[in-house]
Amino acid sequence: MPMPSVSYTGYEELSELSEAELKRCTKSSLPLFIPWHPNKTIPLGTFFFSKRTTDPWATNSPFLTTSLVQTPIFVERDYGSQSVFKSISTSRSIQTNDHLELGFGIGVGLPFIASVTVKGDYCKDVQENKDNNKTSVNFSTRSGSVAFTKQPELTSEAIIEVKYNGGLPAFHEKYGDYYLAAYRLGGETGIMVSGSHSDKRTLDRFGITVTVEVLFIEASVTYTQDFVQTEALNTLKIIGYDTLGHTKYNSMAVDQAPLKSEAKKQAQDYCDKAKTLDLRVTEKLDALDIHDGDQIDIAMCQKLVEAGLVVELMLLPAITLRQVQAWMLEDNII
């Protein structure tokens, strides 16, 4: 008897991909980079349960409160920025994941993050898109990080947990297996145009001209004219996102094709966002008076998050804490 087919939503598909990648990284004790959003600030030093798909943030900390408060927080700003650009065209509906390379990361599909980030929404929309022909343009930039200058000190209770009450597994069970070590500053912008059958030539033109433009080379903007003049406009779809502005766009959100003027405006808008992403990140950091080597407080960390500048959270395994390693091997009595 044949097995019944299973229907997945975009979020369910993303969740499966995220969980598989999360398990791969945690099994090897690799750092985790979680896409983030401006709606919630997680303090540095907060612990994380990687096996929890909902509410993974710990409320009980192994760090001394005084140490968390007193350990300086510094900014490392990369004025050159580390930027990645990608443009891809595919002609088969099953090649959807090819368009997620820059718009997808560990955690973006997990329930606690997927529906509250524009990146998660974009990835979900990409996953749900079954058109044959797709062209996407993605731009990602990293402009620095914010982190403690040293690891905070553990409480005596946490040390006892490691040394006498079950070692690292017991520590993980009680506090979490990862902790928030740094905020990564930067932004991401993406746009995908899709259609089927006769739309492929238009999509190819779109991809080529946008690629040239986003790479900061003077080029013709006729791609927007080609795009809106096509006879098959009503079969084309546009989705886009911008983490810095926390904005998203989905032309098919109400099950109808956009007007020609709206399609042209949105296509141009997200291409402009991609072209100016580095500059926009720099301007926002300058507006907050954030410079390389600055010492900042918790209030400024919150401002960076709310400004959309914290594009990722960097989590490190608890085993990387020097005190955890030391007390796992230490013979002396506490």
Side-chain angles (χ1 to χ4, degrees), residues 129-273:
N129 187 296
K130 303 305 179 186
D131 288 341
N132 289 332
N133 300 315
K134 303 180 184 75
T135 290
S136 63
V137 176
N138 290 278
F139 194 66
S140 173
T141 186
R142 299 294 180 266
S143 302
S145 60
V146 175
F148 287 125
T149 54
K150 62 180 182 178
Q151 296 172 347
E153 300 291 320
L154 293 179
T155 63
S156 295
E157 183 182 359
I159 292 172
I160 290 172
E161 198 74 28
V162 172
K163 187 167 178 60
Y164 300 111
N165 293 348
L168 191 60
F171 184 94
H172 287 170
E173 181 69 24
K174 185 171 184 176
Y175 299 109
D177 53 338
Y178 276 76
Y179 73 98
L180 177 53
Y183 301 129
R184 296 189 81 190
L185 305 176
E188 292 183 7
T189 299
I191 179 175
M192 186 177 83
V193 180
S194 68
S196 57
H197 307 303
S198 60
D199 297 328
K200 189 176 189 309
R201 183 174 298 178
T202 299
L203 293 176
D204 287 344
R205 275 204 306 273
F206 177 88
I208 292 171
T209 51
V210 173
T211 298
V212 175
E213 225 184 70
V214 174
L215 285 174
F216 309 100
I217 300 172
E218 289 296 327
S220 168
V221 295
T222 56
Y223 74 91
T224 52
Q225 297 171 9
D226 290 337
F227 179 61
V228 298
Q229 286 176 359
T230 176
E231 294 292 330
L233 177 63
N234 62 345
T235 67
L236 295 184
K237 303 169 189 174
I238 308 171
I239 59 175
Y241 79 107
D242 179 65
T243 62
L244 194 60
H246 199 57
T247 60
K248 60 184 179 181
Y249 179 75
N250 182 353
S251 67
M252 301 305 290
V254 291
D255 297 323
Q256 63 181 17
L259 298 175
K260 289 187 177 183
S261 59
E262 178 66 10
K264 179 177 180 179
K265 177 180 179 296
Q266 292 297 338
Q268 182 67 65
D269 182 52
Y270 277 93
C271 289
D272 289 343
K273 289 180 188 296

Side-chain angles (χ1 to χ4, degrees), residues 4 6 10 21 29 31 37-38 47 63 79 119 145 152 163 175 206 268 287 313 316:
V6 179
E21 184 66 7
S29 295
H37 58 90
F47 265 70
F63 291 132
Y79 288 97
K119 185 176 184 178
S145 60
K163 187 167 178 60
Y175 299 109
F206 177 88
Q268 182 67 65
L313 306 181
L316 294 180

